[in-house]
Amino acid sequence: MGRYLLRRLLIAIPSLLGISVVLFTVLALAPGDPFEELATNPNVPAEVSAALRVKFGLDDPITLRYLRWLIAMLHGDWGFSFVSRMDVDTLILQRLPATLFVIGSSQVLALLIALPVGVYAATRPYSIFDQIANTLAFIGFSLPTFFTGLLFILVFSIYLDWLPFVYRADIGATGWRWYWEQFRQAVMPVAVLGLFQGASWTRYVRSAVLDVIRLDYVTTARAKGLPERIVVVKHVVRNALIPVVTLVALQMPALFGGAIVTEQIFRIPGIGSLLISAILANDTPVIMSVTFVFACLVIRFNLIADILYGWLDPRIAYR
């Protein structure tokens, strides 16, 4: 396992370098300038704008700027935000907890929905439960998150006045009251993301279980007299989870990008809203760092998926 992990990490290095080159080049060639507003502001002298461009090397060749950025990243310097006037790593660390909490909770909710519903529906195909589950799953992943988010706000915040529709990072309460307020403001964004992912994964879990439950070794296990619960849990679900793990691992980084819409709707001070504000302000150091973090997540979750394969299927060897 140790040699396998080391080899995968060594393979990841050139992948990350290639991704960083593409991202940096695209951002460098994109229209817009972080100091464009200063250049058009009559109250700012031209020499001040020119001095700032020289300080941050915006007029240097792309190759030199990339090498400077890469060396700084290797030393732990993620750059300086032109808009927020602070280090990018500090800015990201301030926004990261809210995003991780919302996304992590939504994924737990999605799995708690998809696994039992998908497995139960597959063990009773074309039953009333299966038809209801399929109908709700189709409705769930057909509705975009911005629609369900606005619908939740309309029902639970405006009509019923049960939940706040603006996510606050500066809750003044302490003790258990603080945890309760955190729970109340996170219910709707977690439910929006969790129900959307849960509906999609339910269909996938059902399909994977149906493919496995018809195999010969499952029939043999039943012929041996094993209880149906043991057959489903040990022989069906474990093998059916292999393609599901692939789906979940590959969708996790994409979920960070999809959460941008949800963060904008509920005003969550997370990574998604940070990326949107950075794009609107042409804050290239922040855009580069956030997108590079997403690329690292893709490689990391692929590695996690490969490790889980060996746990789910002992026939898979790490070489």
Side-chain angles (χ1 to χ4, degrees):
M1 173 67 76
R3 287 183 297 178
Y4 174 78
L5 291 176
L6 180 60
R7 187 169 66 251
R8 286 297 303 269
L9 291 175
L10 292 177
I11 294 175
I13 292 176
S15 301
L16 289 175
L17 285 175
I19 293 172
S20 66
V21 169
V22 173
L23 288 175
F24 195 92
T25 304
V26 170
L27 290 176
L29 297 177
D33 191 323
F35 295 122
E36 184 177 0
E37 184 179 353
L38 294 178
T40 57
N41 191 339
N43 297 322
V44 178
E47 57 271 15
V48 173
S49 179
L52 288 174
R53 297 184 66 87
V54 171
K55 178 181 178 181
F56 291 102
L58 295 181
D59 294 327
D60 294 338
I62 296 179
T63 304
L64 180 60
R65 290 162 57 188
Y66 172 76
L67 292 176
R68 188 185 298 119
W69 173 85
L70 180 61
I71 294 173
M73 283 287 290
L74 294 176
H75 286 85
D77 182 8
W78 289 28
F80 184 80
S81 174
F82 300 136
V83 176
S84 301
R85 302 292 191 269
M86 60 190 305
D87 293 334
V88 175
D89 54 349
T90 304
L91 191 61
I92 291 178
L93 289 176
Q94 288 179 352
R95 302 291 193 100
L96 192 59
T99 297
L100 291 180
F101 174 72
V102 172
I103 290 182
S105 301
S106 66
Q107 297 318 286
V108 173
L109 176 62
L111 288 174
L112 290 177
I113 294 173
L115 289 179
V117 174
V119 171
Y120 193 81
T123 55
R124 291 159 178 80
Y126 310 111
S127 63
I128 296 179
F129 179 86
D130 184 30
Q131 295 177 14
I132 295 175
N134 282 330
T135 302
L136 294 178
F138 276 120
I139 295 174
F141 67 76
S142 297
L143 297 176
T145 54
F146 69 84
F147 176 81
T148 53
L150 294 176
L151 183 63
F152 274 38
I153 290 175
L154 186 64
V155 173
F156 296 106
S157 295
I158 297 178
Y159 285 165
L160 300 178
D161 196 21
W162 288 354
L163 301 170
F165 63 87
V166 175
Y167 195 100
R168 294 176 51 196
D170 55 344
I171 297 178
T174 57
W176 287 106
R177 183 67 181 177
W178 183 87
Y179 289 103
W180 172 247
E181 292 298 329
Q182 286 283 359
F183 172 78
R184 289 182 68 246
Q185 69 178 1
V187 166
M188 287 196 294
V190 168
V192 167
L193 288 174
L195 292 176
F196 180 79
Q197 289 292 330
S200 175
W201 292 351
T202 297
R203 293 283 302 167
Y204 204 84
V205 170
R206 178 185 179 276
S207 177
V209 173
L210 282 176
D211 290 339
V212 174
I213 206 170
R214 301 189 181 101
L215 297 179
D216 293 340
Y217 74 89
V218 177
T219 305
T220 303
R222 285 172 174 157
K224 290 180 179 179
L226 292 177
E228 184 66 17
R229 182 178 64 85
I230 300 298
V231 173
V232 172
V233 174
K234 291 192 63 176
H235 298 278
V236 176
V237 174
R238 184 166 182 174
N239 290 281
L241 283 180
I242 294 178
V244 176
V245 166
T246 304
L247 177 70
V248 174
L250 293 181
Q251 282 192 349
M252 281 300 293
L255 185 63
F256 279 85
I260 294 176
V261 177
T262 306
E263 290 186 1
Q264 289 295 101
I265 293 174
F266 295 101
R267 296 295 186 266
I268 300 174
I271 297 296
S273 59
L274 174 63
L275 180 60
I276 290 294
S277 60
I279 292 174
L280 295 176
N282 290 320
D283 198 355
T284 50
V286 177
I287 300 173
M288 182 66 195
S289 297
V290 174
T291 50
F292 187 71
V293 167
F294 288 166
C296 293
L297 289 174
V298 173
I299 294 178
R300 179 177 181 179
F301 280 106
N302 272 295
L303 178 60
I304 293 175
D306 290 342
I307 294 174
L308 289 177
Y309 292 158
W311 175 71
L312 292 171
D313 190 350
R315 295 172 298 177
I316 299 176
Y318 298 110
R319 296 179 180 176

